[in-house]
Amino acid sequence: MKKRSCLFLFCLLVFVNSVQAQDFEKKLKELNVELAKPTPSLANYVKAVRTGNLVFLSGHVSSRADGSGIKGKLGKDLTAEQGYEAAKLCAVGLLSSLKAEIGDLGKVKRVVKVLGMVNSAPEFTDQPKVVNGCSDLLVALFGDKGKHARSAVGVTALPAGFAVEVEMIVEVE
């Protein structure tokens, strides 16, 4: 009897995890977000490192799967609204790398920390509004588990002139 109970619980856990993965795929579609296979790292680092139940994600810039992206300096070349979209692209890249690392987004217990870096003109001070593009997508996808501690800072330049770069720490099962 004990073996049957354990088998039942195991099957139930597999089913629940499968449903959660499908729910996240459905939610991504509703949000009009398509995850892509992460591109290889350009230097001697990796996109994600898991240690225990934490996944540390390297900075992801505001690029699309096809290599294009949003480049420029906020407050000079781009508006805060364009920066918001750039930060959203960063979130898509982060989620793509996270999914590649852990298998499915249903394993996410909590988005812990987000650091957003905004390529800013000296007078630009709306970095938090820009990084909301990333934060809003994470909360829309994960609900309360997507709410996180965050820093949003202005920087004088980012790699290849990209508008935004975001890194993230996530707790997983």
Side-chain angles (χ1 to χ4, degrees), residues 108-162:
V108 171
K109 289 178 74 172
R110 181 77 192 245
V111 177
V112 177
K113 173 76 174 165
V114 166
L115 168 62
M117 296 159 277
V118 180
N119 187 354
S120 302
E123 65 281 350
F124 186 77
T125 59
D126 282 337
Q127 290 84 3
K129 288 181 185 176
V130 168
V131 180
N132 282 345
C134 176
S135 296
D136 290 349
L137 177 57
L138 294 173
V139 173
L141 181 61
F142 295 115
D144 284 343
K145 295 190 302 185
K147 293 183 179 177
H148 49 272
R150 185 183 88 178
S151 299
V153 298
V155 297
T156 58
L158 285 172
F162 281 99

Side-chain angles (χ1 to χ4, degrees), residues 36-115:
K37 181 181 176 192
T39 57
S41 300
L42 299 174
N44 196 15
Y45 68 93
V46 293
K47 299 271 179 139
V49 171
R50 182 174 181 170
T51 180
N53 65 341
L54 295 177
V55 178
F56 293 78
L57 292 142
S58 296
H60 285 59
V61 294
S62 48
S63 62
R64 296 178 185 90
D66 67 4
S68 68
I70 300 176
K71 295 184 177 187
K73 200 169 278 294
L74 277 289
K76 178 182 174 196
D77 310 312
L78 301 168
T79 66
E81 292 77 21
Q82 291 168 310
Y84 180 97
E85 290 304 315
K88 189 174 175 183
L89 280 176
C90 294
V92 172
L94 288 162
L95 290 168
S96 296
S97 292
L98 179 61
K99 184 177 178 185
E101 180 68 23
I102 65 173
D104 77 73
L105 297 177
K107 294 179 180 178
V108 171
K109 289 178 74 172
R110 181 77 192 245
V111 177
V112 177
K113 173 76 174 165
V114 166
L115 168 62

